Amino acid sequence: EEEHGHYHRSRFGFYKDADGDGCYTREEVLIAEAIESVVNPRNCVIQSGKWFSPFDGETIGSLRNIRVEHLVSLEEAYRSGAWTWQPRERNAYLNDLTHAEALLAVSQESEIGRDGEDPGGWLPSNSTYLCDYLRSWVYIKTIYELSVDPGERESIAASALHC
């Protein structure tokens, strides 16, 4: 890890408004994944909403308790090869709205529990989501050509036996 420095969130740049509608990546995900939401379309301010957090199976009705997170966290992506990418490639990963699996609205509580871990160190507590989580994890790692360490591979293989 010494040759590529430590992970810093800033290495991925900023959220963008890719389609020019006034909504940045975070808002786009919150709007797309809302069970219900109230959005001011003039400035893309989400005033209220409800979201289903797949990590823990909770319905979240407070903007304070919802987070938009990368399925494969920025820290994990960095450790797994994104450190070799150009800044624009890291920023494209940060803003990936092309792959529905890449970004998720999840409860703050579940994200704090995950803390950037791979499946070797954390799995969702919502057992009905586990198989989708593992499939999506492998998919994102594959399309972005990110490495999988032995503990991660072992946990995916063992957990996938239930799928």
Side-chain angles (χ1 to χ4, degrees), residues 68-113:
V68 171
E69 295 297 336
H70 290 76
L71 184 93
V72 175
S73 72
L74 298 179
E75 186 174 359
E76 172 63 18
Y78 189 81
R79 277 194 306 258
S80 303
W83 61 273
T84 67
W85 300 351
Q86 295 300 312
R88 63 178 163 67
E89 294 173 293
R90 284 195 290 268
N91 189 250
Y93 183 83
L94 176 76
N95 287 284
D96 184 356
L97 294 172
T98 309
H99 304 96
E101 305 85 353
L103 282 155
L104 300 169
V106 299
S107 71
Q108 176 178 313
E109 194 176 309
S110 67
E111 183 52 29
I112 290 169

Coordinates of all heavy atoms in Angstrom, one line a residue, residues 68-113:
V68 N -26.2 7.9 0.6 CA -25.9 7.4 -0.7 C -24.5 6.8 -0.7 O -23.6 7.6 -0.4 CB -26.1 8.4 -1.8 CG1 -25.7 7.9 -3.1 CG2 -27.6 8.9 -1.8
E69 N -24.4 5.5 -0.9 CA -23.1 4.9 -0.8 C -22.8 4.0 -2.0 O -23.7 3.5 -2.7 CB -23.1 4.0 0.5 CG -23.1 4.8 1.8 CD -22.0 5.8 2.0 OE1 -20.9 5.5 1.5 OE2 -22.2 6.8 2.7
H70 N -21.5 3.8 -2.3 CA -21.1 2.9 -3.3 C -21.2 1.5 -2.8 O -20.7 1.2 -1.7 CB -19.7 3.2 -3.8 CG -19.6 4.5 -4.5 ND1 -19.7 5.7 -3.9 CD2 -19.6 4.8 -5.8 CE1 -19.7 6.7 -4.8 NE2 -19.6 6.1 -6.0
L71 N -21.8 0.6 -3.6 CA -21.8 -0.8 -3.2 C -20.4 -1.3 -2.8 O -20.2 -1.9 -1.8 CB -22.4 -1.7 -4.3 CG -22.6 -3.1 -3.8 CD1 -24.0 -3.4 -3.3 CD2 -22.3 -4.1 -5.0
V72 N -19.5 -1.1 -3.7 CA -18.1 -1.3 -3.5 C -17.5 0.1 -3.1 O -17.4 0.9 -3.9 CB -17.3 -1.9 -4.7 CG1 -15.8 -2.0 -4.4 CG2 -17.8 -3.2 -5.1
S73 N -17.3 0.2 -1.8 CA -17.0 1.6 -1.2 C -15.8 2.2 -2.0 O -15.0 1.5 -2.6 CB -16.7 1.5 0.3 OG -15.4 0.8 0.5
L74 N -15.7 3.5 -1.9 CA -14.6 4.2 -2.5 C -13.2 3.7 -1.9 O -12.3 3.5 -2.7 CB -14.7 5.7 -2.3 CG -15.9 6.4 -2.9 CD1 -15.9 7.8 -2.6 CD2 -16.0 6.1 -4.4
E75 N -13.2 3.5 -0.6 CA -12.0 3.0 0.0 C -11.6 1.6 -0.5 O -10.4 1.4 -0.8 CB -12.2 3.0 1.5 CG -10.9 2.6 2.3 CD -11.1 2.8 3.8 OE1 -12.2 3.2 4.3 OE2 -10.1 2.5 4.5
E76 N -12.6 0.7 -0.6 CA -12.3 -0.6 -1.1 C -11.9 -0.6 -2.5 O -11.0 -1.3 -3.0 CB -13.6 -1.5 -0.9 CG -13.5 -2.9 -1.6 CD -12.4 -3.8 -1.0 OE1 -11.8 -3.6 0.1 OE2 -12.0 -4.8 -1.8
A77 N -12.6 0.2 -3.3 CA -12.2 0.4 -4.8 C -10.7 0.9 -4.9 O -10.0 0.3 -5.7 CB -13.1 1.3 -5.5
Y78 N -10.4 1.8 -4.1 CA -9.0 2.4 -4.1 C -8.0 1.3 -3.7 O -7.0 1.1 -4.5 CB -8.9 3.6 -3.1 CG -7.6 4.3 -3.2 CD1 -7.5 5.3 -4.2 CD2 -6.6 4.1 -2.4 CE1 -6.3 6.0 -4.3 CE2 -5.4 4.8 -2.5 CZ -5.3 5.7 -3.5 OH -4.1 6.4 -3.6
R79 N -8.3 0.6 -2.7 CA -7.3 -0.5 -2.2 C -7.2 -1.6 -3.3 O -6.2 -2.3 -3.4 CB -7.9 -1.1 -1.0 CG -7.5 -0.5 0.3 CD -7.8 -1.4 1.5 NE -9.1 -1.9 1.6 CZ -10.1 -1.5 2.3 NH1 -9.9 -0.4 3.1 NH2 -11.3 -2.0 2.3
S80 N -8.3 -1.8 -4.1 CA -8.4 -2.9 -5.0 C -8.0 -2.5 -6.4 O -8.2 -3.3 -7.3 CB -9.8 -3.4 -5.1 OG -10.3 -3.8 -3.8
G81 N -7.4 -1.3 -6.6 CA -6.9 -1.0 -7.9 C -7.2 0.4 -8.4 O -6.5 0.9 -9.3
A82 N -8.2 1.1 -7.8 CA -8.5 2.4 -8.3 C -7.4 3.4 -8.0 O -7.3 4.5 -8.6 CB -9.8 2.9 -7.6
W83 N -6.4 3.0 -7.1 CA -5.2 3.9 -6.9 C -4.4 4.1 -8.2 O -3.7 5.0 -8.4 CB -4.4 3.4 -5.8 CG -3.8 2.0 -6.0 CD1 -4.4 0.8 -5.7 CD2 -2.6 1.7 -6.6 NE1 -3.6 -0.3 -6.0 CE2 -2.5 0.2 -6.6 CE3 -1.5 2.4 -7.1 CZ2 -1.3 -0.4 -7.1 CZ3 -0.4 1.7 -7.6 CH2 -0.3 0.3 -7.6
T84 N -4.6 3.1 -9.2 CA -3.8 3.2 -10.4 C -4.5 4.0 -11.5 O -4.0 4.3 -12.5 CB -3.6 1.8 -11.0 OG1 -4.9 1.3 -11.4 CG2 -2.9 0.9 -10.1
W85 N -5.8 4.4 -11.2 CA -6.6 5.1 -12.2 C -6.2 6.6 -12.3 O -5.7 7.2 -11.3 CB -8.1 5.0 -11.9 CG -8.6 3.6 -11.8 CD1 -8.1 2.5 -12.2 CD2 -9.9 3.3 -11.3 NE1 -8.9 1.4 -11.9 CE2 -10.1 1.9 -11.4 CE3 -11.0 4.0 -10.7 CZ2 -11.2 1.2 -11.0 CZ3 -12.1 3.4 -10.4 CH2 -12.3 2.0 -10.5
Q86 N -6.5 7.2 -13.4 CA -6.4 8.6 -13.6 C -7.5 9.3 -12.7 O -8.6 8.6 -12.5 CB -6.6 9.0 -15.1 CG -5.5 8.5 -16.0 CD -4.2 9.0 -15.6 OE1 -4.0 10.3 -15.3 NE2 -3.2 8.2 -15.5
P87 N -7.3 10.5 -12.3 CA -8.4 11.2 -11.5 C -9.8 11.2 -12.2 O -10.8 11.0 -11.5 CB -7.8 12.6 -11.4 CG -6.3 12.4 -11.4 CD -6.1 11.3 -12.4
R88 N -9.8 11.3 -13.5 CA -11.1 11.4 -14.2 C -11.8 10.0 -14.1 O -13.0 9.9 -14.1 CB -11.0 11.8 -15.7 CG -10.1 11.0 -16.5 CD -10.0 11.4 -18.0 NE -8.9 10.8 -18.7 CZ -8.9 9.5 -18.9 NH1 -9.8 8.7 -18.6 NH2 -7.8 9.0 -19.5
E89 N -11.0 8.9 -14.1 CA -11.6 7.6 -14.0 C -12.1 7.4 -12.6 O -13.2 6.8 -12.4 CB -10.5 6.5 -14.3 CG -10.0 6.5 -15.7 CD -8.8 5.5 -15.9 OE1 -7.8 5.8 -15.4 OE2 -9.0 4.5 -16.6
R90 N -11.4 7.8 -11.6 CA -11.9 7.7 -10.2 C -13.2 8.6 -10.1 O -14.2 8.1 -9.4 CB -10.9 8.2 -9.2 CG -9.8 7.1 -9.0 CD -9.0 7.4 -7.7 NE -8.1 8.5 -7.9 CZ -6.9 8.5 -8.3 NH1 -6.3 7.3 -8.6 NH2 -6.1 9.6 -8.3
N91 N -13.2 9.7 -10.7 CA -14.4 10.6 -10.6 C -15.6 9.9 -11.4 O -16.7 10.0 -10.9 CB -14.2 12.0 -11.2 CG -15.3 12.9 -10.9 OD1 -16.0 13.3 -11.8 ND2 -15.5 13.2 -9.6
A92 N -15.3 9.2 -12.5 CA -16.4 8.5 -13.2 C -17.0 7.4 -12.3 O -18.2 7.2 -12.3 CB -15.9 7.9 -14.5
Y93 N -16.1 6.7 -11.5 CA -16.6 5.7 -10.6 C -17.5 6.4 -9.5 O -18.5 5.8 -9.2 CB -15.4 5.0 -9.9 CG -15.8 3.9 -9.0 CD1 -16.1 2.6 -9.5 CD2 -15.9 4.1 -7.6 CE1 -16.5 1.6 -8.6 CE2 -16.3 3.1 -6.8 CZ -16.6 1.8 -7.3 OH -17.0 0.8 -6.4
L94 N -17.0 7.5 -8.9 CA -17.8 8.2 -7.9 C -19.2 8.5 -8.4 O -20.1 8.4 -7.7 CB -17.1 9.5 -7.6 CG -17.8 10.4 -6.6 CD1 -17.7 9.9 -5.2 CD2 -17.3 11.8 -6.7
N95 N -19.3 8.9 -9.7 CA -20.5 9.4 -10.3 C -21.2 8.3 -11.2 O -22.0 8.7 -12.0 CB -20.2 10.6 -11.1 CG -20.0 11.8 -10.3 OD1 -20.9 12.4 -9.7 ND2 -18.7 12.2 -10.1
D96 N -21.0 7.1 -10.9 CA -21.5 6.0 -11.8 C -23.0 5.8 -11.6 O -23.5 5.2 -10.7 CB -20.8 4.7 -11.5 CG -21.3 3.6 -12.5 OD1 -22.2 3.8 -13.3 OD2 -20.7 2.5 -12.4
L97 N -23.8 6.4 -12.5 CA -25.2 6.2 -12.6 C -25.6 5.2 -13.6 O -26.8 4.9 -13.8 CB -26.0 7.6 -12.8 CG -25.8 8.6 -11.6 CD1 -26.4 9.9 -12.0 CD2 -26.5 8.1 -10.4
T98 N -24.6 4.8 -14.4 CA -24.9 3.8 -15.5 C -25.2 2.4 -15.0 O -26.1 1.7 -15.5 CB -23.6 3.7 -16.4 OG1 -23.2 5.0 -16.8 CG2 -23.9 2.9 -17.7
H99 N -24.6 2.0 -13.9 CA -24.8 0.7 -13.3 C -25.7 0.8 -12.1 O -25.2 1.4 -11.1 CB -23.5 0.0 -13.0 CG -22.6 -0.1 -14.2 ND1 -21.6 0.8 -14.4 CD2 -22.5 -1.0 -15.2 CE1 -21.0 0.5 -15.6 NE2 -21.5 -0.5 -16.1
A100 N -26.9 0.3 -12.2 CA -27.8 0.5 -11.0 C -27.3 0.0 -9.7 O -27.7 0.4 -8.7 CB -29.2 -0.2 -11.4
E101 N -26.4 -1.0 -9.8 CA -25.8 -1.6 -8.6 C -24.8 -0.8 -7.9 O -24.5 -1.0 -6.8 CB -25.1 -3.0 -9.0 CG -26.0 -4.0 -9.7 CD -26.0 -3.7 -11.2 OE1 -25.5 -2.7 -11.7 OE2 -26.6 -4.6 -11.9
A102 N -24.2 0.2 -8.6 CA -23.0 0.9 -8.1 C -23.3 1.8 -6.9 O -22.5 1.8 -6.0 CB -22.5 1.8 -9.2
L103 N -24.4 2.5 -6.9 CA -24.8 3.4 -5.8 C -26.1 3.1 -5.2 O -27.1 2.8 -5.9 CB -24.8 4.8 -6.4 CG -23.5 5.5 -6.6 CD1 -23.6 6.6 -7.7 CD2 -22.9 6.1 -5.3
L104 N -26.2 3.1 -3.9 CA -27.4 2.7 -3.2 C -27.8 3.7 -2.1 O -26.9 4.3 -1.5 CB -27.2 1.4 -2.5 CG -26.8 0.2 -3.3 CD1 -26.4 -0.9 -2.4 CD2 -28.0 -0.2 -4.1
A105 N -29.1 3.9 -1.9 CA -29.5 4.7 -0.7 C -29.7 3.6 0.4 O -30.4 2.6 0.3 CB -30.9 5.3 -1.0
V106 N -28.9 3.8 1.5 CA -28.9 2.9 2.6 C -29.0 3.7 3.9 O -28.7 4.9 4.0 CB -27.6 2.0 2.7 CG1 -27.5 1.2 1.4 CG2 -26.4 2.8 2.8
S107 N -29.4 3.0 5.0 CA -29.5 3.6 6.3 C -28.1 4.0 6.8 O -27.1 3.3 6.5 CB -30.2 2.7 7.3 OG -29.3 1.7 7.7
Q108 N -28.1 5.2 7.5 CA -26.8 5.6 8.0 C -26.2 4.5 9.0 O -25.0 4.3 9.0 CB -27.0 6.9 8.8 CG -25.8 7.4 9.5 CD -26.1 8.7 10.2 OE1 -26.6 9.6 9.7 NE2 -25.6 8.8 11.5
E109 N -27.1 3.9 9.7 CA -26.7 2.9 10.7 C -26.0 1.7 10.0 O -24.9 1.3 10.5 CB -27.9 2.4 11.5 CG -27.6 1.6 12.7 CD -28.9 1.2 13.4 OE1 -29.7 2.1 13.7 OE2 -29.0 0.0 13.7
S110 N -26.5 1.2 8.9 CA -25.9 0.1 8.2 C -24.6 0.5 7.6 O -23.7 -0.3 7.5 CB -26.9 -0.5 7.2 OG -27.1 0.4 6.1
E111 N -24.5 1.7 7.1 CA -23.3 2.2 6.5 C -22.2 2.4 7.5 O -21.0 2.0 7.2 CB -23.5 3.5 5.7 CG -22.3 4.0 5.0 CD -21.6 2.9 4.1 OE1 -22.2 2.0 3.5 OE2 -20.3 3.0 3.9
I112 N -22.5 2.9 8.7 CA -21.5 3.0 9.8 C -21.0 1.6 10.1 O -19.8 1.4 10.3 CB -22.1 3.7 11.0 CG1 -22.3 5.2 10.6 CG2 -21.2 3.6 12.2 CD1 -23.2 6.0 11.7
G113 N -21.9 0.6 10.2 CA -21.5 -0.8 10.5 C -20.6 -1.4 9.4 O -19.7 -2.1 9.7

